[in-house]
Amino acid sequence: MGTARAARAHILWTSIALVLIIIASCLTYVFMSKVSGFQRISTVNASSIESMLRQVSREKWLLKARNHTDNRLVWDDEWEYLWNQSGSILDPNKTWMVIQEKGVYLVYIQVNFVLKPQKNSDSTVELKLLVDLNYGGNSDIFSAAHATQVVNVNTSPDAKLNTFLLMYMEVTNQFSVRVFPSDLVNYDPLPFSTFITIIKWGDDW
């Protein structure tokens, strides 16, 4: 029973990951560093989709946020039980993703927030999603997504930030995700409220 459920979950999330790649090809919300030799900006055009789908490797992960420390999200690897020969992508603290295989990676991050409306008053909250990158002794911080949300009894108690990243990374490069305000991050809804998917689709551009 557990094996069948795991197999179904594997198929479902692999399909979702592939759909995310296709969606990414239509979006202009792709950013990354201009640092030479590390991150390079690229769009995913229609002519590359077929090739991209053919070369999706075993280097793919689905991580679910379960907590935070110092505004940095702490993750659980939802696919770790399916393939663990090369070890987890997560560091021992489960806050940094450490790249084990050089290549181009498509990353999708979604963070859900639970807002707290006050009766008979309006307030605003600044929502931010930052990506910290460590590479070759250097580090950078990028504002991946942000929004200003008006909070009152007439607005939805939920808000969402998401972003697609297309990154070229070397072995041992690492990145983490910080969110503000971290105390409003939602971890509860099923299947996942706050998560990240990471898929390697090629060895180079």
Side-chain angles (χ1 to χ4, degrees):
M1 185 72 172
T3 303
R5 182 178 300 174
R8 286 195 298 271
H10 169 59
I11 293 170
L12 172 65
W13 286 108
T14 299
S15 300
I16 290 174
L18 294 177
V19 169
L20 290 176
I21 292 177
I22 296 172
I23 293 173
S25 68
C26 303
L27 298 178
T28 58
Y29 202 92
V30 176
F31 92 101
M32 264 333 276
S33 168
K34 297 180 180 180
V35 177
S36 176
F38 176 59
Q39 258 84 34
R40 289 169 286 178
I41 298 174
S42 176
T43 57
V44 185
N45 56 50
S47 64
S48 67
I49 290 297
E50 183 180 352
S51 174
M52 187 186 307
L53 294 177
R54 282 200 308 266
Q55 55 187 332
V56 169
S57 73
R58 289 183 56 177
E59 296 295 304
K60 50 186 174 283
W61 297 270
L62 171 66
L63 308 176
K64 176 190 174 186
R66 62 175 169 86
N67 208 331
H68 65 273
T69 177
D70 296 328
N71 300 311
R72 202 178 303 280
L73 292 178
V74 179
W75 305 94
D76 282 329
D77 189 342
E78 293 297 310
W79 288 347
E80 187 173 8
Y81 66 95
L82 292 176
W83 46 76
N84 196 32
Q85 293 86 347
S86 59
S88 176
I89 192 175
L90 293 169
D91 76 340
N93 294 324
K94 297 195 172 185
T95 54
W96 289 86
M97 279 63 74
V98 183
I99 298 302
Q100 303 165 10
E101 186 177 301
K102 180 179 73 172
V104 180
Y105 289 82
L106 178 68
V107 178
Y108 175 76
I109 306 168
Q110 176 174 301
V111 180
N112 281 17
F113 297 87
V114 179
L115 307 180
K116 299 176 180 178
Q118 303 294 321
K119 289 185 177 180
N120 302 319
S121 67
D122 290 349
S123 61
T124 59
V125 59
E126 294 288 333
L127 306 177
K128 295 182 181 179
L129 191 166
L130 303 180
V131 175
D132 293 302
L133 306 167
N134 290 336
Y135 56 99
N138 298 312
S139 61
D140 281 306
I141 301 173
F142 296 90
S143 178
H146 67 276
T148 301
Q149 186 79 31
V150 177
V151 183
N152 58 44
V153 293
N154 297 317
T155 60
S156 170
D158 298 318
K160 178 173 65 176
L161 290 179
N162 54 48
T163 188
F164 280 98
L165 312 175
L166 190 61
M167 307 187 292
Y168 176 80
M169 292 190 286
E170 301 280 350
V171 176
T172 72
N173 288 167
Q174 54 184 297
F175 65 98
S176 66
V177 179
R178 285 186 291 149
V179 292
F180 302 88
S182 55
D183 60 315
L184 298 183
V185 174
N186 189 5
Y187 304 102
D188 295 332
L190 296 175
F192 304 112
S193 175
T194 298
F195 67 94
I196 182 170
T197 59
I198 307 166
I199 301 173
K200 181 187 176 187
W201 65 271
D203 294 328
D204 209 334
W205 295 110

